[in-house]
Amino acid sequence: MKHIIIITILVMLGTTSMAQTKKTTGGFEDVLTTDTILNKFMEHWIGKPYKLGGKTEKGIDCSQFNKRLYKDVYNKELQNVAYKQWEQTERIKKDSLQIGDLVFFRSRVSPSGWHTGVYIGNTYFIHAANRYEGVKVSTLEEPRYKVSIRGYGRLK
């Protein structure tokens, strides 16, 4: 099932998106290699459970998921919690989003009031959603994310 989801996402992203990504990645070394690593990372993590404060495949929260993705895919360090990741990034506009940028939301269910994920192109982002959904891909166009967006950030 995970393979079907990944393949569907990759088809939706399409080759046009990949060509645009190549021109606009700003800081990622080799887009083709990075995309391959990102795709493998996503395939491995989709469906893993959510756990507040978790850091492992047995349960991970949104900020730790971002931290793990950045370390494993981009070899870059992020802080441990969402608001500190927010502080690590420069604000960008939605129409400037690039694969690998961070997306931040207000959350009524999180004790911190924050939720975050990593943008993967064409309005999609991957995140450790909640204890019911685990790690998944969502779109910024979903009503629950549209109304709770806090902003977008690119690692400084």
Side-chain angles (χ1 to χ4, degrees):
M1 182 65 175
K2 285 195 294 187
H3 298 290
I4 293 169
I5 293 169
I6 294 293
I7 290 167
T8 303
I9 291 166
L10 294 176
V11 169
M12 289 189 297
L13 291 175
T15 55
T16 303
S17 175
M18 297 303 279
Q20 290 172 340
T21 302
K22 195 165 206 142
K23 287 189 269 181
T24 61
T25 52
F28 297 134
E29 302 295 303
D30 180 350
V31 175
L32 185 58
T33 302
T34 301
D35 285 347
T36 301
I37 294 168
L38 178 59
N39 294 338
K40 287 180 181 180
F41 182 91
M42 290 190 308
E43 182 178 355
H44 177 78
W45 278 91
I46 286 176
K48 297 286 192 259
Y50 175 93
K51 180 180 180 190
L52 182 62
K55 300 179 182 184
T56 70
E57 294 177 27
K58 292 181 179 178
I60 194 162
D61 70 18
C62 63
S63 56
Q64 288 298 316
F65 178 77
N66 283 3
K67 182 176 177 144
R68 180 75 177 260
L69 186 151
Y70 259 71
K71 181 69 175 160
D72 291 359
V73 175
Y74 302 121
N75 198 29
K76 295 182 186 261
E77 292 293 327
L78 284 179
Q79 294 291 324
N80 288 324
V81 293
Y83 79 88
K84 288 187 178 182
Q85 291 176 4
W86 171 267
E87 292 171 356
Q88 274 186 276
T89 60
E90 292 178 36
R91 286 319 111 241
I92 56 174
K93 294 182 179 189
K94 184 178 182 181
D95 62 0
S96 297
L97 279 168
Q98 299 171 7
I99 293 171
D101 287 337
L102 299 178
V103 294
F104 298 93
F105 306 91
R106 290 178 299 282
S107 171
R108 287 179 279 148
V109 295
S110 169
S112 72
W114 289 80
H115 181 67
T116 184
V118 177
Y119 187 73
I120 59 172
N122 287 358
T123 78
Y124 292 97
F125 65 101
I126 187 165
H127 59 131
N130 56 52
R131 64 183 178 159
Y132 305 107
E133 299 174 295
V135 176
K136 65 179 277 192
V137 172
S138 298
T139 175
L140 295 169
E141 299 305 314
E142 288 179 45
R144 67 179 168 169
Y145 297 115
K146 273 183 138 176
V147 300
S148 63
I149 193 70
R150 192 181 292 254
Y152 313 97
R154 183 166 298 139
L155 196 61
K156 297 177 187 176

